[in-house]
Structures are given as structure tokens and as C-alpha cells.
């Protein structure tokens, strides 16, 4: 699907809503790569995965996944023959542990029937020997003594030598106390030294490593300690060499399994992403929609996910319906309605849940195109009309009967009569090509087009004349009407002036009365539907209460 529609609808912001629910970097990367598809099997699989994860949460509401970091580059380095460092091994260790925990969780799971998710759980690998090898690295980034016998032997020697150094120094602290400025062992240049008074510097044999700023204290490493320190330095070098050898050895053991571990990490991320989708469903009362095979769209109480306190609306875009034309004044929510439809389709075709009620149905479109907002280009010296028309011309060359088209203020920005004529001609061309289209306009001429033309339906956004505010409720089947006279009267304009103006457009009064009746019928139907929904919710609550009582 074209990238422009994803930018226009701000799809990346929608995906960001799922990020707080993710636990793994692999899941985050898969979310960022997520894009809509027209492949039915892929969408069905994503929907089935979400439904199964919902069922899993019913039995295991605290199901979680161990947080893991991205290891793709680590595995590539292994496959190319490179040896890993401790930090990289810790990343692999974490992935193997997450994989083991998921396998254990799946093997102990009861009362849940899984098909799609089972495929992922069962593809995870178990590497008990590798997990044992990686125990050599503790979480603090330290190689444990048991990593090899040689490392354990070297560290024992270092420990013994350091103990001897401490013993020697403690004896000297007692024996030479009067010659020292302080009764402590100091450290200079990585060596254990005594703080000797300058007047006694020749009384204690050893190597001078430092002198205090005042010159009163000389820091001497006693001769008895020098040899032991040199032995420790040599042993430290042996320790570093042995640790490098261990890193190389374990790298060789892990290398043949690099691809399998990388695949496990991807599966863990995929399960994490599915889990995040379900957590989003729980948080936002979202749903997994039904899929239509004939591009029928039925959205119940659908909301725009990025609009705070968005008003929920119903949209019915039947199989035979080609266009919905939303008429009426600006600032009523027409553009939001366009974006809500487009974004809901994009989310569903990306395998994401939608903000709507159960029973909602989405279509599958190969492409979604939109001309929304002011795309005027100063650099190209194009007017608003020219800019929109250039975009529409480009879109008309690409759309087909498998496309969804969203047009905002079609024909605006030019002479009203010519703009309305162009808008009707464009809509007629799209209708004949059977392109599903939702368009907004403020041209009244398109109301007649919507009434008189087959497979085209009028719609509008409700306006409350009592409060003089839009309600943002979508009224499908009801063309928009001007509320200018009513608003002017309520704002205090003389009734004589309003009456005079009303007489000049008297021919539209009958139409406005019909529209007003349609609005009243729509509002009455909506009230009845809301009452039905309330009854359904009460029934659900009673059913849950009964089930708990019976249990």
C-alpha cells in the first residue's frame, strides 16, 4: 500500500499506541515494520492470533514474556565467524531463557485450544547444553570460575598471592608503625604501598611509586611484596588470555545454532506483539473485526484512535453502495469521519484491532488513496485548488474497483458552480468505475446528486442548533443542511432580516424541511439503538454474575 496514505492518516502515531505494551525489542521492531496488506490469509492469521491470545488471557490473565534485546546483529556476527564478547553472550542467554520459559508455559497450559499460536510455541528451540554453557556468564558481566578448570586454577593462585600480599603488609604495618604517616595500606599505580615518612624512606627497602604533594610522605611498595605483585600481574595476564579462550570456545559452540536462535528471537517478538495487541484491546475496549469478502464495511460505534474523547459513530458502506457524500458546513467533523474510516481500514489490514463494537466488519482493499487537507505548495506556486486537483488527477490514474478513496472538500477552492460541477463529474466517474468513495463537500448541489443517483448516499454531521455547536455525530442517509438562519436568529440578528433572507431562498425550504424530518428519524433510531445496547450490556453483566455464582 502506498506510503502517502499512511503519512496522511498518521499511521505511525497509531502504532505508537501499542508500544507501551511491548516487552521486547524484537516486538518493537516488528511493530515499526508493520504495514497494511491485501493478502486475506495474512490478515485472517493475524485476527486468529489475537482471538487465541484473548482466550489465553482468560485462563492466564498474568501471562507475560521476558524482556529481551535485539540480537539480529549478534547472530550475523556469529555466522560471519566473529567471536562474541560477554555483553553479547548475555543477550543470547536472555533470549534462550525467554524461549525456555515460553516453552514451559505452553507445555503447562490447560483449558485453552490454540492453533495459530501453537505453531509459534512449537517452533521454539530448546538448547539445554547451550544454556548450561552460557551460565558461565553472570548477569553482572563476569565470567564465573567454573567456566574452565584453568580459569579456576589461575584465580585460586591470584587469590592466594593477594592474601600473602595482605598478610605481609599487615605485618609491616605493625612492625614499622612509627615510620608510617598513617596505619593503612594505600594503592598507587595498581600496587599495594605503605605511606612512609620521608625521614624513614631509606629504612624500608622497596620501590617508590609516589610522593605526596607536601613531600612528607613517600609511597613505597616493600621488597617482600614486589615479587608477589609481579606474580599477580603475570597471573592476571594468564586470566585475560584464558577468558578470551573461553569466549572463543563458547562462540564456536553457539555458532552452528545462530540462525535458530535468531529465529527464536523473532518468534518471541511476534508473540510479544500479539500480546501487546490484546493488552491494547483490554485497555481501549477495541475489537477484532470481521472480514468481508465483498468490500462491505460495517463499523459500529467506531472511534478515531488519535482523537481524545472521540465521538463514536456507525458507518455502513454496503456491497452495492459506491459513494457516501458528506455535505454540510465546515468544523462539524467531516474530515475526522474520513480519517476514521481510512485509519480503521489501515489498522485492520495491518492485523491490528480497531476501536469499534463487536460485529464490526471491514473490507479488503489493494490500495487506499486520499486527498485530505491543504496541500498547497508555495515552492511549486500552486493554488489550493490546483494542488488538490493535481493530486486527484494522479489518484484517478491509479484507482480501480479494489481501491478505497477518501476525498476531502471535493472541488473546493474555485468558482462554486464550476467546483460543484467538477465534484459531481469526478464522483460519477468513480461510481461508473465502482470505486468505493467517501467524499466531503459543502456544495449543496451534491445533495441532489446523492438523492437522485443510484448507489450513492448522502450523509452529514449533526449540528445542535440549541447550543450552536457541532455534536460530531455522523448521520448517514441524511444530507447536510445549512443552519445559517437559525444560528443568525439565535445570535440576535433581526427577525425581519432573517425573514427577508429566508424568502430569497424559499425554494430550498421544502428540501430543508425534508432534511429536518430525516434528522429527527435518524436521532430517534439512534436512541432506540442506544437503548438496545444498554440492555445488551446489562444482560452481559448478569450472565457474568451468574457464571461466577455457579462456579
Amino acid at each position: 500500500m502506498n506510503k502517502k496514505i499512511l503519512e496522511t492518516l498518521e499511521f505511525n502515531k497509531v502504532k505508537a499506541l501499542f508500544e507501551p505494551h511491548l516487552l521486547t525489542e524484537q516486538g518493537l521492531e516488528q511493530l515499526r515494520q508493520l504495514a497494511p496488506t491485501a493478502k486475506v490469509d495474512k490478515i485472517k492469521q493475524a485476527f486468529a492470533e489475537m482471538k487465541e491470545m484473548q482466550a489465553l488471557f482468560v485462563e492466564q490473565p498474568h501471562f507475560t514474556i521476558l524482556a529481551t534485546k535485539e540480537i539480529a546483529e549478534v547472530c550475523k556476527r556469529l555466522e560471519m565467524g566473529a567471536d562474541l564478547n560477554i555483553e553479547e553472550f548475555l543477550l543470547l542467554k536472555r533470549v534462550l531463557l525467554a524461549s525456555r520459559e515460553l516453552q514451559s508455559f505452553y507445555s503447562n497450559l490447560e483449558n485453552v485450544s490454540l492453533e495459530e499460536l501453537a505453531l509459534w510455541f512449537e517452533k521454539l528451540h530448546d538448547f539445554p547444553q547451550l544454556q548450561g554453557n552460557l551460565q558461565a556468564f553472570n548477569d553482572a558481566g563476569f565470567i564465573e570460575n567454573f567456566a574452565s578448570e584453568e580459569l579456576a586454577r589461575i584465580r585460586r593462585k591470584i587469590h592466594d598471592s593477594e592474601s600473602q600480599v595482605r598478610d605481609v603488609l599487615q605485618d609491616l604495618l605493625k612492625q614499622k608503625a612509627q615510620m608510617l604517616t598513617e596505619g593503612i595500606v594505600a594503592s598507587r599505580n595498581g600496587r599495594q604501598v605503605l605511606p612512609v615518612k620521608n625521614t624513614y624512606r631509606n629504612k624500608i627497602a622497596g620501590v617508590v611509586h609516589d610522593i605526596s604533594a607536601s613531600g612528607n610522605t613517600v609511597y613505597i611498595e616493600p621488597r617482600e611484596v614486589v615479587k608477589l605483585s609481579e606474580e599477580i600481574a603475570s597471573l592476571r595476564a594468564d586470566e585475560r588470555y584464558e577468558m578470551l579462550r573461553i569466549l572463543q570456545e563458547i562462540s564456536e559452540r553457539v555458532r552452528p545454532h545462530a540462525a535458530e536462535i535468531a529465529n527464536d528471537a523473532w518468534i518471541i517478538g511476534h508473540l510479544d506483539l500479539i500480546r501487546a495487541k490484546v493488552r491494547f484491546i483490554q485497555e481501549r475496549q477495541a475489537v477484532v473485526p470481521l472480514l468481508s469478502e465483498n468490500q462491505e464495511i460495517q463499523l459500529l460505534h467506531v472511534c478515531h484512535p488519535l482523537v481524545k474523547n472521540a465521538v463514536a459513530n456507525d458507518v455502513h458502506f454496503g456491497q452495492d453502495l459506491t459513494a457516501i457524500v458528506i455535505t454540510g458546513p465546515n468544523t462539524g467533523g467531516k474530515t475526522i469521519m474520513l480519517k476514521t474510516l481510512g485509519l480503521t481500514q489501515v489498522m485492520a489490514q495491518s492485523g491490528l484491532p480497531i476501536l469499534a463494537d463487536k460485529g464490526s466488519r471491514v473490507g479488503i482493499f489493494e490500495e487506499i488513496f486520499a486527498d485530505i487537507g491543504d496541500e498547497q505548495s508555495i515552492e511549486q506556486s500552486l493554488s489550493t485548488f490546483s494542488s488538490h486537483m493535481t493530486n486527484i488527477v494522479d489518484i484517478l490514474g491509479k484507482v480501480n474497483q479494489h481501491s478505497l478513496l477518501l476525498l476531502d472538500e471535493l472541488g473546493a477552492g474555485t468558482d462554486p458552480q464550476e467546483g460543484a460541477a467538477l465534484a459531481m463529474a469526478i464522483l460519477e466517474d468513480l461510481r461508473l468505475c465502482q470505486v468505493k468513495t467517501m467524499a466531503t463537500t459543502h456544495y449543496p448541489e451534491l445533495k441532489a446528486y446523492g438523492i437522485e443517483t443510484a448507489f450513492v448516499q448522502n450523509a452529514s454531521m449533526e449540528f445542535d442548533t440549541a447550543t450552536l455547536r457541532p455534536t460530531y455525530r455522523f448521520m448517514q442517509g441524511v444530507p447536510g443542511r445549512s443552519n445559517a438562519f437559525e444560528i443568525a436568529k439565535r445570535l440576535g440578528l433581526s427577525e425581519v432580516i432573517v425573514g427577508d433572507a429566508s424568502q430569497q431562498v424559499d425554494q430550498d425550504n421544502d428540501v430543508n424541511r425534508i432534511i429536518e424530518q430525516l434528522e429527527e428519524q435518524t436521532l430517534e433510531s439512534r436512541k432506540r439503538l442506544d437503548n438496545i445496547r444498554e440492555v445488551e450490556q446489562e444482560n452481559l453483566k448478569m450472565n457474568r454474575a451468574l457464571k461466577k455464582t455457579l462456579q
Side-chain angles (χ1 to χ4, degrees):
M1 194 168 288
N2 66 91
K3 291 182 180 179
K4 187 174 181 180
I5 187 65
L6 304 183
E7 294 171 0
T8 300
L9 299 176
E10 300 180 294
F11 185 48
N12 282 338
K13 289 185 179 180
V14 173
K15 291 196 286 186
L17 299 176
F18 292 81
E19 289 184 13
H21 303 297
L22 290 167
L23 300 169
T24 69
E25 288 188 358
Q26 292 88 347
L28 180 60
E29 181 59 26
Q30 289 180 39
L31 174 66
R32 288 173 178 169
Q33 296 296 324
L34 198 63
T37 179
K39 295 179 179 177
V40 179
D41 291 344
K42 193 171 181 181
I43 299 171
K44 284 183 176 179
Q45 180 184 343
F47 286 2
E49 288 171 345
M50 284 190 285
K51 288 178 180 177
E52 289 184 6
M53 186 65 77
Q54 284 181 290
L56 187 151
F57 263 98
V58 171
E59 290 297 321
Q60 299 289 337
H62 302 296
F63 169 64
T64 190
I65 294 174
L66 198 65
T68 58
K69 301 285 187 180
E70 184 58 68
I71 62 164
E73 291 301 319
V74 174
C75 292
K76 282 182 183 177
R77 290 189 65 242
L78 265 179
E79 290 176 331
M80 292 173 67
D83 295 326
L84 302 185
N85 57 40
I86 296 175
E87 290 75 16
E88 290 170 325
F89 275 123
L90 288 176
L91 296 180
L92 296 185
K93 179 182 176 183
R94 188 79 172 175
V95 168
L96 294 184
L97 179 58
S99 178
R100 169 67 69 86
E101 287 187 357
L102 285 172
Q103 290 176 73
S104 176
F105 171 83
Y106 177 64
S107 63
N108 294 321
L109 189 63
E110 296 179 348
N111 303 323
V112 182
S113 177
L114 302 181
E115 292 182 14
E116 296 294 338
L117 292 184
L119 296 176
W120 298 121
F121 279 111
E122 290 167 5
K123 283 181 180 178
L124 290 168
H125 298 88
D126 190 17
F127 299 107
Q129 189 171 353
L130 287 185
Q131 280 190 291
N133 294 147
L134 295 179
Q135 293 305 312
F137 310 105
N138 68 24
D139 293 339
F142 181 77
I143 299 180
E144 299 282 8
N145 292 350
F146 58 76
S148 76
E149 291 184 7
E150 179 64 10
L151 184 63
R153 184 190 67 78
I154 293 169
R155 286 181 174 169
R156 279 196 301 272
K157 278 191 164 187
I158 292 173
H159 181 268
D160 292 343
S161 297
E162 287 178 339
S163 294
Q164 290 181 48
V165 168
R166 283 193 296 272
D167 291 342
V168 169
L169 290 172
Q170 289 299 322
D171 289 342
L172 288 172
L173 282 176
K174 294 174 183 177
Q175 295 171 14
K176 312 289 185 180
Q178 73 281 0
M179 300 182 185
L180 307 177
T181 56
E182 291 182 273
I184 60 170
V185 176
S187 178
R188 289 293 185 276
N189 303 320
R191 297 283 191 140
Q192 302 294 306
V193 296
L194 296 176
V196 181
K197 296 176 183 177
N198 198 14
T199 53
Y200 293 104
R201 64 184 299 174
N202 295 322
K203 299 292 184 181
I204 297 180
V207 178
V208 175
H209 284 280
D210 198 8
I211 299 175
S212 67
S214 64
N216 294 329
T217 304
V218 180
Y219 294 95
I220 299 174
E221 182 182 15
R223 183 189 300 164
E224 299 93 323
V225 174
V226 171
K227 186 177 180 182
L228 288 171
S229 295
E230 289 175 352
E231 287 180 6
I232 291 171
S234 177
L235 288 168
R236 290 289 184 198
D238 292 342
E239 180 189 30
R240 288 192 294 274
Y241 178 81
E242 179 60 15
M243 287 193 295
L244 284 173
R245 190 197 67 76
I246 290 169
L247 290 172
Q248 292 171 351
E249 181 181 324
I250 297 181
S251 293
E252 289 301 323
R253 292 179 183 177
V254 176
R255 203 181 313 281
H257 307 288
E260 293 169 313
I261 295 172
N263 189 61
D264 280 4
W266 187 92
I267 292 173
I268 292 167
H270 188 65
L271 290 170
D272 183 33
L273 179 55
I274 300 168
R275 178 187 175 278
K277 293 177 187 180
V278 173
R279 295 290 293 139
F280 178 85
I281 289 173
Q282 295 171 337
E283 180 189 74
R284 298 289 298 270
Q285 286 77 55
V287 298
V288 180
L290 303 172
L291 266 184
S292 169
E293 297 179 358
N294 49 26
Q295 296 185 347
E296 177 189 1
I297 302 172
Q298 178 177 280
L299 303 177
L300 308 175
H301 265 209
V302 66
C303 294
H304 193 295
L306 300 177
V307 177
K308 190 176 181 180
N309 300 321
V311 175
N313 285 297
D314 294 347
V315 180
H316 302 279
F317 218 141
Q319 178 183 354
D320 296 330
L321 189 60
T322 303
I324 296 176
V325 181
I326 310 175
T327 54
N330 294 331
T331 71
K334 292 184 296 182
T335 303
I336 290 294
M337 203 62 231
L338 278 184
K339 290 185 175 181
T340 301
L341 173 62
L343 201 46
T344 300
Q345 269 297 145
V346 168
M347 291 174 70
Q349 289 189 226
S350 300
L352 295 174
I354 64 173
L355 291 183
D357 281 357
K358 287 183 179 179
S360 293
R361 186 182 301 274
V362 295
I364 299 177
F365 299 93
E366 293 177 359
E367 282 287 358
I368 300 176
F369 296 99
D371 180 66
I372 298 175
D374 186 1
E375 299 184 11
Q376 182 171 348
S377 173
I378 296 174
E379 292 180 0
Q380 297 177 9
S381 301
L382 294 175
S383 68
T384 300
F385 174 76
S386 298
S387 175
H388 282 293
M389 197 50 59
T390 300
N391 191 29
I392 289 171
V393 169
D394 180 61
I395 290 172
L396 291 177
K398 297 175 180 176
V399 293
N400 57 38
Q401 60 184 1
H402 303 295
S403 305
L404 175 64
L405 179 55
L406 310 171
L407 298 172
D408 192 25
E409 293 298 342
L410 182 58
T414 187
D415 175 78
Q417 190 173 358
E418 293 182 358
L422 273 173
M424 283 189 284
I426 290 169
L427 287 174
E428 183 62 14
D429 182 68
L430 292 167
R431 185 181 75 89
L432 295 174
C433 294
Q434 296 183 325
V435 179
K436 262 192 167 23
T437 306
M438 178 178 275
T440 72
T441 179
H442 59 270
Y443 291 135
E445 290 88 343
L446 269 72
K447 300 175 191 175
Y449 174 78
I451 293 171
E452 296 168 355
T453 310
F455 313 119
V456 178
Q457 189 176 44
N458 277 309
S460 59
M461 304 304 295
E462 183 185 18
F463 187 89
D464 190 337
T465 54
T467 61
L468 303 183
R469 291 178 180 275
T471 65
Y472 304 107
R473 287 194 171 277
F474 183 62
M475 303 179 71
Q476 192 164 344
V478 181
R481 66 185 176 101
S482 173
N483 297 289
F485 296 153
E486 185 66 26
I487 293 171
K489 189 188 298 182
R490 288 184 178 276
L491 291 174
L493 188 63
S494 167
E495 289 191 13
V496 175
I497 296 175
V498 174
D500 186 33
S502 180
Q503 288 177 6
Q504 293 183 43
V505 291
D506 191 51
Q507 65 273 21
D508 288 336
N509 284 345
D510 290 341
V511 174
N512 279 330
R513 276 195 292 272
I514 293 170
I515 293 172
E516 190 174 354
Q517 290 173 4
L518 287 171
E519 286 179 353
E520 290 173 358
Q521 292 172 9
T522 301
L523 290 172
E524 184 61 31
S525 297
R526 183 178 291 149
K527 287 178 183 176
R528 290 175 182 172
L529 184 59
D530 288 341
N531 287 334
I532 292 170
R533 283 179 174 140
E534 287 177 10
V535 172
E536 286 180 344
Q537 289 298 320
E538 288 298 323
N539 286 339
L540 285 172
K541 289 178 183 177
M542 289 179 65
N543 285 335
R544 292 193 192 102
L546 283 170
K547 284 180 181 178
K548 287 181 180 178
T549 305
L550 293 172
Q551 288 175 353

